[in-house]
Amino acid sequence: MISAIFEYQFMQNAFIASILASIVCGIIGVIVVEKKLVMMSGGIAHTAYGGVGLGYLLGFEPIIGAFLFSVSAALGIGAIKRRGGVQSDVIIGLFWSLGMALGIVFIALMPGYPPDLNSYLFGNILSVTKADLYLMIILSFLVVFIVIALFNDWKAYLFDEEFASIIGIKTVFLEYLLLVLVAMTVVVLIRVAGIILVLALLTAPSAMASIFSKRLKSRMIFAVIFGVIFCISGLWISYKLNIASGACIVILSVVCYFFTYAIRIVHIKMKRKNIASKQIVGEEESEV
Amino acid sequence: METAIHIDNLSVYYGETAAIKNICLDVKQGEFLGIIGPNGGGKSTLLKAILGLIPITTGNIQIYEKTIGKNRTAVGYVPQFATMDRRFPISVMEVVLTGRLKQGLSLFMKYSNEDKDIANEQLKRVGIDHLAKRQISELSGGEFQRLLIARALTVHPKLLLLDEPTASVDMNSREQIYHLLRELNKEITIVLVTHDLLAISSEVKKLACLNGKLVYHGEPLLNEHIVNELYGCPVDLIAHGVPHRVLKEHEEGIAK
Ligand SMILES: Nc1ncnc2c1ncn2[C@@H]1O[C@H](COP(=O)(O)OP(=O)(O)OP(=O)(O)O)[C@@H](O)[C@H]1O
Ligand SMILES: [Mg+2]
């Protein structure tokens, strides 16, 4: 694979795309998991399908359409949720299926033979184009910059929104900004994992990081590292076996997560046993 | 004397139901106001309205002659129920430091040494400075409660609102918290919501009784009539050994 990276442009693109995807999904993934926005992210991602369809119908880059649709979905869901009166998972569900339905309608309206949308649904990192890559670079840079620049405000907001608003931090602005960041992240991830599989990339690295670290910043760093490992090895497997990259990366991430989880459970159980047996020995000795 | 809180004809509705109705209340600078009342009496609602956390239906509230939006840094708040996720990856020190954040948004902000000293000092004040490096998930309920007080103090407020700060702390810590409040009250105004009638008798300078409306506001002396209107069962209170300063009517009955 290493020689292929130097040889083929598409492999270079795929490699850069995986690194970018790992960075944003590590950082935003930790926030999404902590703020319990996993389903929200799913909704935003699936709404993007409508944008992809519109792009094909009107003849512009589908990824731009995906970007516009996910950002509008993020703002729309955020606005309705803030207004109250409706449960947020209801709105998420509605946006989720509306986006998909619009995508199907737009594609059906297209004259001629329908395009293959699989690479948007399931991700095909090997088909990343230069235009995709430029958009991904810009979005990743924005996401990382915004999170780092406001890190302390984010921390206060994520931990306790009420207190943050009492001391005058602009929590409403942060709420919308966070949803837009999620939308941007989703767009970066679409080419790598696909609309349907995005959730795994957002959750698996950060969930795994939460096993290894109890601090927000180091959790993000761990999540980025895990993301890089999953994406690059997934890419390698998909290149060798000629299977869609999204599926490989997702299966790898999820399997790794459950594996780590199982090891941790066993580890904790053994520790408990050790402590218990020590206590028993201690009691016996004291009886003697 | 300066007025810390001026509440004029305040009503707050949740949907159709009124939580508090037509409240008029002034709190002077340097006062120590205790608020008591039955569950659902609107105590937390009143504090949240003062803080601008919930929309008020009618009336208006002023903090040091300005609206709360213009005077945020003057007020510290210790909530009744921690709404946040206790498993959030953040340390005790980091939580207290959030009290030092500037209003609005600050780009690439780093906490200064002064911020850290202030945070440490407040942790010491509530007696949990030895836990500074702990993750909040590793704190007990009472330790967490004290952390919230330390965080509120880090803002350096002129006015401190506390919603049942002693509900889950042990007797020693409770004594310590009241001692701290007494100290703080030399400089700042305090509003304390509590079900702890013992505290009301010995700590507060003024008392407000809230049961949807303001049943009583004045010296911390209660007569049977007010208690009756407030809880509907004065006898119970007496049976629990409420000291005589609270229940004026029974003063004669208890040997001094
Ligand atoms: N978010 C809400 N939505 C609808 N009604 C609410 C809400 N919060 C409180 N209420 C209602 O408003 C009334 C006052 O509630 P509040 O929390 O202010 O009482 P409280 O005096 O603090 O009680 P407690 O002693 O139990 O803390 C109650 O009847 C409650 O049912
Ligand atoms: Mg309350």
Side-chain angles (χ1 to χ4, degrees):
Chain A
M1 185 172 103
I2 311 250
S3 61
I5 287 177
F6 290 113
E7 232 168 280
Y8 302 112
Q9 180 70 47
F10 76 88
M11 275 306 277
Q12 279 169 27
N13 290 352
F15 191 74
I16 298 172
S18 342
I19 303 277
L20 291 174
S22 318
I23 293 172
V24 289
C25 78
I27 292 174
I28 296 298
V30 169
I31 295 181
V32 161
V33 169
E34 283 307 328
K35 197 75 187 161
K36 304 192 172 53
L37 292 176
V38 175
M39 279 309 126
M40 175 81 87
S41 316
I44 291 173
H46 284 73
T47 315
Y49 190 68
V52 172
L54 194 67
Y56 273 114
L57 179 64
L58 301 181
F60 59 86
E61 272 295 329
I63 197 83
I64 303 283
F67 174 69
L68 295 177
F69 266 63
S70 3
V71 171
S72 329
L75 296 176
I77 295 174
I80 297 176
K81 194 180 128 197
R82 181 147 276 281
R83 197 118 324 141
V86 196
Q87 233 170 295
S88 68
D89 51 351
V90 173
I91 319 162
I92 292 169
L94 292 178
F95 269 80
W96 186 308
S97 23
L98 179 70
M100 296 296 280
L102 283 177
I104 294 167
V105 169
F106 290 146
I107 296 295
L109 289 177
M110 259 183 86
Y113 196 70
D116 179 24
L117 285 173
N118 267 357
S119 74
Y120 286 97
L121 283 178
F122 302 106
N124 186 357
I125 203 170
L126 298 176
S127 68
V128 171
T129 64
K130 263 270 147 66
D132 292 339
L133 208 57
Y134 286 137
L135 184 68
M136 285 174 79
I137 291 173
I138 295 170
L139 293 184
S140 312
F141 177 78
L142 275 177
V143 169
V144 174
F145 179 82
I146 292 172
V147 171
I148 292 178
L150 295 173
F151 194 74
N152 283 323
D153 288 328
W154 282 120
K155 206 179 341 181
Y157 163 76
L158 293 172
F159 171 59
D160 189 354
E161 215 175 308
E162 190 178 79
F163 183 77
S165 82
I166 288 172
I167 59 174
I169 292 176
K170 302 245 171 305
T171 49
V172 179
F173 175 75
L174 286 179
E175 186 178 322
Y176 282 109
L177 185 61
L178 176 58
L179 292 177
V180 171
L181 288 181
V182 171
M184 287 169 27
T185 304
V186 160
V187 172
V188 173
L189 296 180
I190 280 180
R191 283 317 238 150
V192 177
I195 288 168
I196 296 179
L197 306 179
V198 156
L199 282 189
L201 262 192
L202 273 176
T203 47
S206 46
M208 223 165 114
S210 69
I211 294 179
F212 289 94
S213 167
K214 282 182 181 163
R215 304 196 46 217
L216 190 64
K217 203 191 286 175
S218 48
R219 258 190 203 181
M220 289 181 175
I221 296 170
F222 268 109
V224 169
I225 295 171
F226 291 136
V228 169
I229 297 173
F230 297 152
C231 286
I232 302 286
S233 0
L235 177 62
W236 180 74
I237 296 172
S238 95
Y239 177 73
K240 284 283 171 206
L241 303 180
N242 198 17
I243 313 173
S245 60
C248 291
I249 294 171
V250 165
I251 292 173
L252 192 69
S253 317
V254 176
V255 168
C256 278
Y257 172 71
F258 282 120
F259 189 67
T260 324
Y261 179 77
I263 288 183
R264 197 178 82 116
I265 298 279
V266 173
H267 181 77
I268 291 174
K269 278 222 171 113
M270 271 169 44
K271 243 194 199 163
R272 269 201 208 129
K273 247 188 205 161
N274 264 343
I275 292 172
S277 63
K278 255 183 216 153
Q279 268 176 359
I280 291 168
V281 170
E283 274 162 24
E284 276 169 4
E285 272 171 5
S286 62
E287 268 169 38
V288 171
Chain B
M1 225 193 306
E2 209 180 353
T3 308
I5 313 176
H6 174 72
I7 299 175
D8 191 23
N9 224 351
L10 172 75
S11 301
V12 176
Y13 282 72
Y14 290 106
E16 303 266 289
T17 50
I20 43 182
K21 256 186 178 166
N22 301 329
I23 307 259
C24 296
L25 184 69
D26 271 358
V27 181
K28 295 264 175 293
Q29 172 63 23
E31 211 169 285
F32 192 149
L33 175 73
I35 301 180
I36 59 171
N39 292 136
K43 305 179 295 297
S44 303
T45 304
L46 178 64
L47 292 196
K48 284 183 188 161
I50 293 173
L51 287 159
L53 287 174
I54 47 172
I56 60 182
T57 315
T58 62
N60 82 78
I61 304 174
Q62 288 193 321
I63 311 288
Y64 296 105
E65 274 146 33
K66 288 188 209 149
T67 57
I68 178 70
K70 296 211 178 77
N71 222 343
R72 293 209 167 277
T73 46
V75 190
Y77 174 53
V78 181
Q80 176 180 18
F81 302 110
T83 46
M84 51 273 200
D85 182 2
R86 289 278 300 275
R87 282 169 311 175
F88 190 82
I90 193 168
S91 71
V92 168
M93 190 62 181
E94 285 174 314
V95 171
V96 181
L97 277 173
T98 58
R100 296 299 301 163
L101 285 170
K102 308 260 170 333
Q103 288 194 19
L105 298 169
S106 19
L107 288 175
F108 297 108
M109 184 266 191
K110 279 196 99 174
Y111 294 114
S112 67
N113 282 336
E114 192 201 346
D115 290 335
K116 285 173 192 162
D117 289 344
I118 291 171
N120 234 325
E121 194 186 313
Q122 306 309 332
L123 280 177
K124 215 169 267 164
R125 259 184 153 169
V126 298
I128 53 166
D129 51 318
H130 58 290
L131 302 173
K133 292 221 171 61
R134 285 257 187 110
Q135 291 299 120
I136 55 155
S137 53
E138 297 160 350
L139 295 183
S140 78
E143 287 164 347
F144 190 72
Q145 188 75 51
R146 293 201 258 167
L147 167 61
L148 295 183
I149 297 176
R151 180 180 70 171
L153 293 179
T154 314
V155 182
H156 282 332
K158 274 163 86 180
L159 166 67
L160 183 61
L161 310 178
L162 303 107
D163 202 345
E164 295 185 34
T166 54
S168 57
V169 300
D170 61 35
M171 264 176 333
N172 261 338
S173 315
R174 203 177 62 181
E175 199 36 60
Q176 201 182 351
I177 288 173
Y178 283 129
H179 180 76
L180 174 64
L181 292 182
R182 232 175 290 144
E183 283 296 305
L184 287 168
N185 187 228
K186 287 176 185 158
E187 286 154 32
I188 67 175
T189 315
I190 295 178
V191 175
L192 170 74
V193 168
T194 185
H195 288 298
D196 184 355
L197 291 168
L198 237 96
I200 292 293
S201 70
S202 55
E203 307 293 337
V204 308
K205 296 180 190 157
K206 272 258 170 84
L207 180 66
C209 305
L210 205 56
N211 187 6
K213 42 195 205 317
L214 196 61
V215 177
Y216 174 81
H217 178 216
E219 296 305 306
L221 300 166
L222 280 181
N223 59 37
E224 203 156 354
H225 173 70
I226 296 166
V227 174
N228 213 348
E229 195 165 343
L230 202 53
Y231 295 98
C233 49
V235 193
D236 257 30
L237 285 170
I238 297 155
H240 281 98
V242 176
H244 41 271
R245 204 182 134 213
V246 177
L247 286 167
K248 197 180 176 207
E249 293 283 84
H250 294 262
E251 242 173 16
E252 307 90 82
I254 300 165
K256 276 201 185 168

